[in-house]
């Protein structure tokens, strides 16, 4: 249960950081926090652990969240001009 709450918070926080920071350095946030989430899930810090294929899902989800954060950076830069 808590795993989804943590993951959703990280996704929203990553995208919000792209909007608020408005610089490409914001892509560091999802590149760090999403893999840390899966590491924590693997070791049972939140949730019940991982299943088969979790490492591939972690990579794909990190890329998707980084793309969304990059889109937020582009939107932020377009609005500020």
């Amino acid at each position: 249960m808590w795993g989804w709450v943590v993951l959703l918070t990280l996704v929203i926080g990553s995208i919000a950081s792209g909007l608020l920071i408005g610089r490409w350095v914001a892509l560091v946030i999802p590149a760090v926090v999403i893999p840390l989430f899966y590491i924590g899930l693997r070791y049972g810090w939140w949730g019940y652990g991982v299943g088969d294929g979790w490492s591939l899902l972690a990579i794909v989800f990190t890329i998707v969240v980084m793309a969304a954060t990059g889109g937020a950076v582009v939107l932020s830069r377009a609005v500020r001009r």
Side-chain angles (χ1 to χ4, degrees):
M1 167 66 183
W2 287 108
W4 289 106
V5 174
V6 171
L7 185 61
L8 185 61
T9 303
L10 293 176
V11 169
I12 291 170
S14 294
I15 295 170
S17 71
L19 285 170
L20 294 174
I21 295 171
R23 296 186 158 278
W24 294 111
V25 73
L27 291 176
V28 171
I29 294 169
V32 171
V33 297
I34 301 298
L36 281 177
F37 167 77
Y38 278 99
I39 290 170
L41 194 61
R42 167 73 174 93
Y43 289 107
W45 297 341
W46 41 77
Y48 299 107
V50 295
D52 295 335
W54 72 271
S55 56
L56 179 61
L57 180 62
I59 292 168
V60 169
F61 198 70
T62 301
I63 292 169
V64 168
V65 175
M66 286 183 70
T69 304
V73 169
V74 169
L75 179 65
S76 176
R77 287 177 158 225
V79 169
R80 290 183 186 184
R81 289 183 186 199

